[in-house]
Amino acid sequence: MSPSPAPATATTGSTSAGRPPVAGSGAPDPAPERPRTRAARAAALTVGLLAALVVTAMAAASIGAYQIPFGDILASVAHRAGLGGYELDRVAESVLWNVRLPRVVLALLVGASLGCAGALMQGVFGNPLAEPGVIGVSAGAAVGAVAAIAFGLTLFGNWTVTVCAFITGLATVLLVYALSRSGGRTEVVTLILTGVAVNAFAGALIGLSIFFADNAQLTEITFWQLGSLSQATWPKVLAVLPCAVLGLIAAPWYARRLDLLALGEKPARHLGVDVERLRISLVLVVALLTAAAVAVAGIITFVGLLVPHLLRMVAGPGHRFLVPGSALLGALVLLAADLAARTLAAPAELPLGVLTALIGSPFFFWLLRRTRRRQGGWA
Amino acid sequence: MTIDQVITRLLGNRAARPPAPHRPGDVLAEARDVTLQLGGRPVLDGVSLTVRAGEVLALVGPNGAGKSTLLAALAADTAVEGGAILIDGKPAESWNARELSLRRAVLPQAATLSFPFLVDEVVRMGRAPWAGTAAEDEDEAVVAAALAATEVTAFAPRPFSALSGGEKARVALSRVLAQRTAVLLLDEPTAALDLRHQELVLTVCRERARAGDAVVVVVHDLGLAAAHADRVAVLAGGRVAGEGPPDTTLTPELLSKVYQHPVEVLAHPDTGVPIVLPQRPPR
């Protein structure tokens, strides 16, 4: 088509009636949009997200019971990187490097993993309601993690909890996938009900593990079950880093094929996608990402649901932006949520998972109702 | 070596063999004595059919005759139990998904889409097989031509989900045209369309055939098949009951037998093209 920018072509008005207005989430104009507009929005969004991420990370490192000014953070980081700067006093240095920064990095990794896993999972299932928490994969991964803690497993050293979470998480994704598909489609009802069943079963297994745990392990498990980053340390960061980074690097590589999968399995195959292999690879990546998040932070729901959905409303469903974009926004959301969790009720700390569920559940309600309205019922 | 190539090699992908150039009359796809059962019922029972470049081949026949199954077999979607499907001269199973996508495009009966992609983005998906090849440079022109051919250019900036059934069907066809393969397999492309757009779609099929491609189209309207196809194959009970040019193949005897309803065939007073009508009792 013509290369002229012609920005004012959105004339045909409300062609997509029936798209409900979204309160206060920066919903896009429902008028027809050129792919170019979507691409421009995606680019602007990427820059905006990166900037917001840097600012929020700085704020998260600075704010707390012991305040550290922005300048001191930059100086200390520069000093350690050997780029000038200066060392802070002993307390500040210790708070920054042993408490705040591991927590910031962990929040980034966990948030990015959850957001990205959500986007991938929705793409694989072709269903905007798929999310590791909702369909029970988080709970499945939690079974492995809790069992590892409760039975004091040390098979893989520092990585034991992560590895166990990965194994049970993977088994759960495969199970849910097998149970909720029929005839190449995933119906919403089947998917959600499978999630209910899997969550219930995983809950029972977690309960069983708790039954066998001693008091110290019990505290650890309970805390972790609510979803929290308060025990962030560098070894924990290291424990999830391989899983998260591997998953995050692999994910964007599947973006184009995920777009084609939106047409359905057969049409995707007609367009050259090896659907079987794509699905298996993506299930592995989702399990990697979910396990990474769950192993250190417990079950944090709805981030993977909310994040890709918001991005899709603003920049369209194209996965080339959606997958990395969801990682960025997921990291931002979790960083902000964690900052809120530890400052809102200071000196006490709200459990992070409780906070995200408080915000995420109403959104899930809205999404369910909208999906139902569009389909004209569940049957 | 780029990272993509490294990963491709690690995953054991071999490079896709590009399709060879073809000339009118070349056999691009072929079913040889194909048998296939679905749910214990024989759906194809010794079907042989050739798909030639430069030809519109219409598959007609009553419901459950095996038309869609044959099309799926020719598309290499369904593995056959007996006989063989040849695509570009080689057994269908010897091609990988990417290689098949460079050789044949398939229009499914129903067009679905999981996420609110725009029409323009949907049609652009048809170019996916050519990513990374020299043909990628033509993407813009091919997409524009495909949108124009099915008269959906005006819908390009709209979400696919906001279109009517007939509009969706045309967009789906547009995507198939954008794939620019030598073989087009269309499963009831006219089902959801009004009279004008039915003609439009079959005219597009003829243009593609004249340009040297092979078009296989499943239709229920025998008049459409008679008017636009170079060859028709009448399927019944999983067998080819008749095959050849429309005017000699679509006879009242054959059609009355396979449809189990008396059928009359008239010649159009001006063009002589067969007009097929079910016999109806006078009112």
Short mmCIF file of all heavy atoms in Angstrom, two decimals, chain A residues 36-77:
data_model
loop_
_atom_site.label_atom_id
_atom_site.label_comp_id
_atom_site.label_asym_id
_atom_site.label_seq_id
_atom_site.Cartn_x
_atom_site.Cartn_y
_atom_site.Cartn_z
N ARG A 36 -0.11 -0.23 11.24
CA ARG A 36 1.00 0.68 11.50
C ARG A 36 0.80 1.40 12.84
O ARG A 36 1.72 1.62 13.59
CB ARG A 36 1.12 1.68 10.34
CG ARG A 36 2.53 2.08 10.03
CD ARG A 36 2.60 2.83 8.70
NE ARG A 36 2.50 1.93 7.57
CZ ARG A 36 1.60 2.05 6.59
NH1 ARG A 36 0.72 3.03 6.63
NH2 ARG A 36 1.60 1.22 5.60
N THR A 37 -0.48 1.77 13.13
CA THR A 37 -0.76 2.42 14.40
C THR A 37 -0.43 1.47 15.54
O THR A 37 0.12 1.88 16.55
CB THR A 37 -2.25 2.79 14.50
OG1 THR A 37 -2.82 2.73 13.22
CG2 THR A 37 -2.43 4.13 15.11
N ARG A 38 -0.80 0.21 15.33
CA ARG A 38 -0.51 -0.77 16.37
C ARG A 38 0.99 -0.90 16.57
O ARG A 38 1.46 -0.97 17.70
CB ARG A 38 -1.10 -2.13 15.98
CG ARG A 38 -2.59 -2.21 16.21
CD ARG A 38 -3.11 -3.61 15.95
NE ARG A 38 -4.47 -3.74 16.47
CZ ARG A 38 -5.20 -4.85 16.36
NH1 ARG A 38 -4.69 -5.90 15.75
NH2 ARG A 38 -6.40 -4.91 16.86
N ALA A 39 1.74 -0.91 15.48
CA ALA A 39 3.19 -1.04 15.58
C ALA A 39 3.77 0.17 16.30
O ALA A 39 4.65 0.04 17.15
CB ALA A 39 3.80 -1.19 14.20
N ALA A 40 3.26 1.37 15.95
CA ALA A 40 3.75 2.58 16.58
C ALA A 40 3.46 2.55 18.08
O ALA A 40 4.31 2.89 18.91
CB ALA A 40 3.11 3.80 15.94
N ARG A 41 2.25 2.11 18.41
CA ARG A 41 1.88 2.01 19.82
C ARG A 41 2.79 1.04 20.55
O ARG A 41 3.21 1.28 21.68
CB ARG A 41 0.44 1.50 19.94
CG ARG A 41 -0.57 2.59 19.81
CD ARG A 41 -1.87 2.09 20.39
NE ARG A 41 -2.94 2.97 19.96
CZ ARG A 41 -4.11 2.53 19.52
NH1 ARG A 41 -4.37 1.25 19.49
NH2 ARG A 41 -5.04 3.38 19.16
N ALA A 42 3.08 -0.09 19.90
CA ALA A 42 3.93 -1.10 20.51
C ALA A 42 5.31 -0.52 20.79
O ALA A 42 5.88 -0.73 21.88
CB ALA A 42 4.04 -2.32 19.61
N ALA A 43 5.85 0.26 19.83
CA ALA A 43 7.17 0.84 20.01
C ALA A 43 7.17 1.83 21.16
O ALA A 43 8.04 1.81 22.05
CB ALA A 43 7.62 1.51 18.72
N ALA A 44 6.15 2.71 21.17
CA ALA A 44 6.04 3.71 22.23
C ALA A 44 5.90 3.02 23.59
O ALA A 44 6.52 3.43 24.58
CB ALA A 44 4.84 4.62 21.97
N LEU A 45 5.10 1.95 23.59
CA LEU A 45 4.85 1.22 24.83
C LEU A 45 6.13 0.58 25.36
O LEU A 45 6.39 0.59 26.57
CB LEU A 45 3.80 0.14 24.54
CG LEU A 45 2.79 -0.14 25.63
CD1 LEU A 45 2.09 1.12 26.06
CD2 LEU A 45 1.76 -1.14 25.12
N THR A 46 6.93 0.03 24.46
CA THR A 46 8.18 -0.60 24.87
C THR A 46 9.09 0.41 25.57
O THR A 46 9.62 0.15 26.65
CB THR A 46 8.92 -1.19 23.65
OG1 THR A 46 8.00 -2.00 22.92
CG2 THR A 46 10.11 -2.02 24.09
N VAL A 47 9.24 1.59 24.94
CA VAL A 47 10.08 2.63 25.52
C VAL A 47 9.52 3.05 26.88
O VAL A 47 10.25 3.14 27.88
CB VAL A 47 10.17 3.84 24.56
CG1 VAL A 47 10.93 4.98 25.22
CG2 VAL A 47 10.82 3.43 23.25
N GLY A 48 8.19 3.27 26.91
CA GLY A 48 7.55 3.69 28.15
C GLY A 48 7.73 2.66 29.26
O GLY A 48 8.05 3.02 30.40
N LEU A 49 7.56 1.38 28.91
CA LEU A 49 7.68 0.32 29.91
C LEU A 49 9.10 0.25 30.45
O LEU A 49 9.30 0.10 31.67
CB LEU A 49 7.30 -1.03 29.28
CG LEU A 49 5.80 -1.31 29.14
CD1 LEU A 49 5.57 -2.59 28.37
CD2 LEU A 49 5.15 -1.39 30.51
N LEU A 50 10.08 0.36 29.54
CA LEU A 50 11.47 0.29 29.98
C LEU A 50 11.78 1.44 30.94
O LEU A 50 12.40 1.24 32.00
CB LEU A 50 12.42 0.33 28.78
CG LEU A 50 12.54 -0.99 28.01
CD1 LEU A 50 13.31 -0.80 26.72
CD2 LEU A 50 13.22 -2.05 28.90
N ALA A 51 11.32 2.65 30.58
CA ALA A 51 11.55 3.81 31.44
C ALA A 51 10.89 3.62 32.79
O ALA A 51 11.52 3.83 33.85
CB ALA A 51 11.03 5.07 30.75
N ALA A 52 9.62 3.18 32.76
CA ALA A 52 8.89 2.98 34.01
C ALA A 52 9.57 1.92 34.87
O ALA A 52 9.63 2.04 36.10
CB ALA A 52 7.46 2.56 33.70
N LEU A 53 10.12 0.91 34.20
CA LEU A 53 10.78 -0.18 34.91
C LEU A 53 12.01 0.33 35.66
O LEU A 53 12.23 0.00 36.83
CB LEU A 53 11.18 -1.25 33.88
CG LEU A 53 11.15 -2.71 34.31
CD1 LEU A 53 9.84 -3.05 34.98
CD2 LEU A 53 11.36 -3.60 33.09
N VAL A 54 12.80 1.18 35.00
CA VAL A 54 14.00 1.73 35.63
C VAL A 54 13.63 2.59 36.83
O VAL A 54 14.18 2.43 37.93
CB VAL A 54 14.82 2.55 34.59
CG1 VAL A 54 15.95 3.30 35.29
CG2 VAL A 54 15.35 1.64 33.51
N VAL A 55 12.63 3.46 36.62
CA VAL A 55 12.23 4.37 37.70
C VAL A 55 11.68 3.58 38.89
O VAL A 55 12.06 3.81 40.05
CB VAL A 55 11.16 5.37 37.20
CG1 VAL A 55 10.60 6.19 38.35
CG2 VAL A 55 11.76 6.27 36.14
N THR A 56 10.81 2.58 38.60
CA THR A 56 10.21 1.80 39.69
C THR A 56 11.27 0.99 40.41
O THR A 56 11.22 0.84 41.65
CB THR A 56 9.12 0.86 39.14
OG1 THR A 56 8.33 1.57 38.20
CG2 THR A 56 8.25 0.34 40.25
N ALA A 57 12.22 0.44 39.66
CA ALA A 57 13.29 -0.33 40.29
C ALA A 57 14.09 0.56 41.24
O ALA A 57 14.44 0.16 42.36
CB ALA A 57 14.19 -0.95 39.22
N MET A 58 14.39 1.78 40.79
CA MET A 58 15.11 2.73 41.64
C MET A 58 14.29 3.03 42.89
O MET A 58 14.82 3.03 44.01
CB MET A 58 15.34 4.05 40.88
CG MET A 58 16.31 3.95 39.73
SD MET A 58 18.03 3.86 40.27
CE MET A 58 18.28 5.54 40.79
N ALA A 59 13.00 3.28 42.69
CA ALA A 59 12.13 3.59 43.83
C ALA A 59 12.09 2.42 44.80
O ALA A 59 12.19 2.61 46.03
CB ALA A 59 10.73 3.92 43.33
N ALA A 60 11.98 1.20 44.26
CA ALA A 60 11.90 0.02 45.12
C ALA A 60 13.20 -0.18 45.90
O ALA A 60 13.18 -0.66 47.04
CB ALA A 60 11.60 -1.21 44.28
N ALA A 61 14.32 0.20 45.29
CA ALA A 61 15.59 0.06 46.00
C ALA A 61 15.76 1.16 47.03
O ALA A 61 16.51 1.01 48.01
CB ALA A 61 16.74 0.11 44.98
N SER A 62 15.05 2.26 46.82
CA SER A 62 15.25 3.42 47.69
C SER A 62 14.32 3.43 48.90
O SER A 62 14.71 3.74 50.01
CB SER A 62 15.06 4.69 46.84
OG SER A 62 14.68 5.77 47.65
N ILE A 63 13.05 3.06 48.66
CA ILE A 63 12.01 3.23 49.69
C ILE A 63 12.00 2.05 50.66
O ILE A 63 12.18 0.91 50.27
CB ILE A 63 10.63 3.38 49.02
CG1 ILE A 63 10.61 4.62 48.15
CG2 ILE A 63 9.52 3.46 50.07
CD1 ILE A 63 9.41 4.70 47.23
N GLY A 64 11.78 2.34 51.93
CA GLY A 64 11.68 1.30 52.93
C GLY A 64 11.96 1.88 54.30
O GLY A 64 12.06 3.11 54.46
N ALA A 65 12.08 1.01 55.29
CA ALA A 65 12.34 1.46 56.64
C ALA A 65 13.63 2.29 56.69
O ALA A 65 13.75 3.24 57.46
CB ALA A 65 12.45 0.27 57.58
N TYR A 66 14.58 1.90 55.89
CA TYR A 66 15.83 2.66 55.80
C TYR A 66 15.88 3.28 54.40
O TYR A 66 16.04 2.56 53.42
CB TYR A 66 17.01 1.71 56.03
CG TYR A 66 18.35 2.40 56.13
CD1 TYR A 66 18.92 2.65 57.37
CD2 TYR A 66 19.04 2.79 54.99
CE1 TYR A 66 20.15 3.29 57.48
CE2 TYR A 66 20.26 3.42 55.08
CZ TYR A 66 20.81 3.67 56.32
OH TYR A 66 22.02 4.29 56.42
N GLN A 67 15.67 4.60 54.34
CA GLN A 67 15.63 5.25 53.03
C GLN A 67 17.03 5.41 52.45
O GLN A 67 17.97 5.76 53.16
CB GLN A 67 15.00 6.65 53.16
CG GLN A 67 13.56 6.64 53.63
CD GLN A 67 12.57 6.43 52.49
OE1 GLN A 67 12.96 6.44 51.34
NE2 GLN A 67 11.31 6.21 52.83
N ILE A 68 17.16 5.12 51.16
CA ILE A 68 18.44 5.34 50.48
C ILE A 68 18.17 6.27 49.30
O ILE A 68 17.40 5.91 48.41
CB ILE A 68 19.03 4.01 49.96
CG1 ILE A 68 19.14 3.00 51.11
CG2 ILE A 68 20.39 4.24 49.32
CD1 ILE A 68 19.49 1.61 50.66
N PRO A 69 18.79 7.45 49.28
CA PRO A 69 18.52 8.38 48.17
C PRO A 69 18.96 7.79 46.83
O PRO A 69 19.89 6.98 46.78
CB PRO A 69 19.37 9.61 48.52
CG PRO A 69 19.77 9.44 49.95
CD PRO A 69 19.73 7.99 50.26
N PHE A 70 18.27 8.22 45.76
CA PHE A 70 18.58 7.76 44.40
C PHE A 70 20.06 7.91 44.07
O PHE A 70 20.69 7.01 43.52
CB PHE A 70 17.76 8.56 43.37
CG PHE A 70 16.39 7.99 43.12
CD1 PHE A 70 15.75 7.24 44.10
CD2 PHE A 70 15.76 8.19 41.90
CE1 PHE A 70 14.49 6.72 43.87
CE2 PHE A 70 14.49 7.66 41.66
CZ PHE A 70 13.85 6.94 42.65
N GLY A 71 20.61 9.08 44.43
CA GLY A 71 22.02 9.38 44.12
C GLY A 71 22.95 8.35 44.74
O GLY A 71 23.89 7.87 44.09
N ASP A 72 22.65 7.98 45.98
CA ASP A 72 23.50 6.99 46.67
C ASP A 72 23.42 5.63 45.98
O ASP A 72 24.41 4.91 45.88
CB ASP A 72 23.05 6.85 48.13
CG ASP A 72 23.58 8.00 48.98
OD1 ASP A 72 24.24 8.89 48.40
OD2 ASP A 72 23.31 8.01 50.20
N ILE A 73 22.20 5.26 45.51
CA ILE A 73 22.04 3.97 44.83
C ILE A 73 22.93 3.93 43.59
O ILE A 73 23.71 3.00 43.38
CB ILE A 73 20.57 3.74 44.42
CG1 ILE A 73 19.68 3.68 45.66
CG2 ILE A 73 20.43 2.46 43.61
CD1 ILE A 73 18.20 3.64 45.35
N LEU A 74 22.82 5.00 42.78
CA LEU A 74 23.60 5.07 41.55
C LEU A 74 25.09 5.02 41.86
O LEU A 74 25.85 4.29 41.22
CB LEU A 74 23.26 6.35 40.77
CG LEU A 74 21.85 6.38 40.17
CD1 LEU A 74 21.58 7.73 39.53
CD2 LEU A 74 21.69 5.27 39.15
N ALA A 75 25.49 5.77 42.89
CA ALA A 75 26.91 5.83 43.25
C ALA A 75 27.42 4.46 43.67
O ALA A 75 28.48 4.01 43.25
CB ALA A 75 27.11 6.84 44.37
N SER A 76 26.62 3.78 44.49
CA SER A 76 27.05 2.48 45.00
C SER A 76 27.13 1.45 43.88
O SER A 76 28.07 0.65 43.82
CB SER A 76 26.09 2.01 46.09
OG SER A 76 26.50 0.76 46.57
N VAL A 77 26.14 1.48 42.98
CA VAL A 77 26.15 0.55 41.86
C VAL A 77 27.36 0.82 40.97
O VAL A 77 28.09 -0.09 40.57
CB VAL A 77 24.84 0.64 41.04
CG1 VAL A 77 24.95 -0.15 39.75
CG2 VAL A 77 23.66 0.14 41.87
#
